[in-house]
Amino acid sequence: MSHILDRPIWSALGTRHSALAQGGALARRYLPSVSLFSATGDDRPESLKALRALASPGETLLVVQSTEALVPDGMTAVSRASLVQMLAAEPLPEIADPRVELLGEEDAQAMLELATLTKPGPFTLGAQRFGSFWGIKQGGRLVAMAGERLKQPGYTELSGVCTHPDARGRGLGRLMSLYVAGKICTRGERVSLHSYATNTAAITLYGSIGFKLRSDMHVTALTLTQ
């Protein structure tokens, strides 16, 4: 039996993120201003055709699921990568730290710049529409952040964990991960996250704070065939 997190984008867009969805019963995607994450509910030809219909020329749709994504006719897989999906094994406590502040719309550009520099994963100016983000500033500059991304019933994804190179080695990534995970757990939800399978440092960090592997995952980048 499939798990709600096997196709996390599909299940998020059909439930807690339905207000951010485009598409219908066969394929869905996030509003382009929010994310290029897209999904089908299954691998039937009609579902793949519906996914292709959601793509615009020049876009790169991103599909994340537990099985290798099939490529719709008229589209090309420009990249594939292996991920791991992890879950907090036990509820993590909410913590307080005076350095951490809730980020707002006025921080969107600084958030994008930090994410572009550190590459935690796909990120846009509209990322705060996924959920709340928190950060640490030093001298008015954002140096660390983390927040919420995909949301399904009973689950919220920890994402966007990044630290400016100038501030690394101080445990800020660990702090931000624990801070956001604690916020999620306090709501009675389980915390999920995704990491590239090659990012052993991140996987080791998450394991040290109580995350366990749930499933191997795959991310596929799709574009319309020229």
Side-chain angles (χ1 to χ4, degrees):
M1 180 179 293
S2 64
H3 191 281
I4 194 172
L5 296 183
D6 286 346
R7 292 184 186 239
I9 299 166
W10 174 259
S11 55
L13 288 170
T15 57
R16 296 175 64 194
H17 277 168
S18 60
L20 304 177
Q22 290 181 339
L26 299 177
R28 302 173 186 139
R29 61 167 294 176
Y30 277 92
L31 298 172
S33 61
V34 177
S35 176
L36 294 174
F37 281 143
S38 309
T40 57
D42 53 47
D43 292 333
R44 292 178 298 161
E46 54 265 41
S47 299
L48 298 175
K49 181 179 179 180
L51 179 63
R52 181 190 180 281
L54 294 175
S56 297
E59 283 189 319
T60 301
L61 301 186
L62 299 174
V63 178
V64 176
Q65 57 188 52
S66 61
T67 57
E68 288 263 7
L70 299 182
V71 180
D73 290 339
M75 300 193 82
T76 300
V78 293
S79 68
R80 293 183 184 270
S82 297
L83 306 174
V84 295
Q85 183 184 85
M86 305 179 79
L87 286 176
E90 301 291 340
L92 294 166
E94 187 170 14
I95 63 174
D97 191 299
R99 295 172 293 175
V100 181
E101 62 182 89
L102 181 66
L103 301 177
E105 292 183 8
E106 68 278 6
D107 299 303
Q109 184 61 44
M111 293 167 61
L112 180 60
E113 291 173 0
L114 181 59
T116 301
L117 177 65
T118 59
K119 297 178 171 57
F123 206 88
T124 69
L125 281 172
Q128 290 182 76
R129 297 190 67 183
F130 280 122
S132 298
F133 278 77
W134 292 265
I136 295 175
K137 298 176 183 178
Q138 293 179 352
R141 181 179 67 165
L142 183 65
V143 297
M145 71 172 180
E148 303 168 344
R149 194 166 63 178
L150 303 179
K151 297 187 177 188
Q152 304 86 8
Y155 297 89
T156 291
E157 181 191 19
L158 165 65
S159 185
V161 181
C162 48
T163 304
H164 194 282
D166 294 345
R168 286 178 181 161
R170 306 177 193 173
L172 298 185
R174 181 184 184 89
L175 168 62
M176 294 308 307
S177 298
L178 287 168
Y179 190 93
V180 176
K183 291 284 188 184
I184 295 169
C185 290
T186 298
R187 301 197 300 258
E189 301 168 14
R190 294 198 68 182
V191 189
S192 67
L193 62 83
H194 294 87
S195 174
Y196 285 105
T198 55
N199 193 346
T200 54
I203 294 170
T204 299
L205 167 64
Y206 296 132
S208 73
I209 61 177
F211 283 84
K212 303 293 185 183
L213 175 68
R214 192 201 77 83
S215 177
D216 293 322
M217 302 289 283
H218 305 272
V219 57
T220 305
L222 299 171
T223 63
L224 292 174
T225 303
Q226 299 296 320

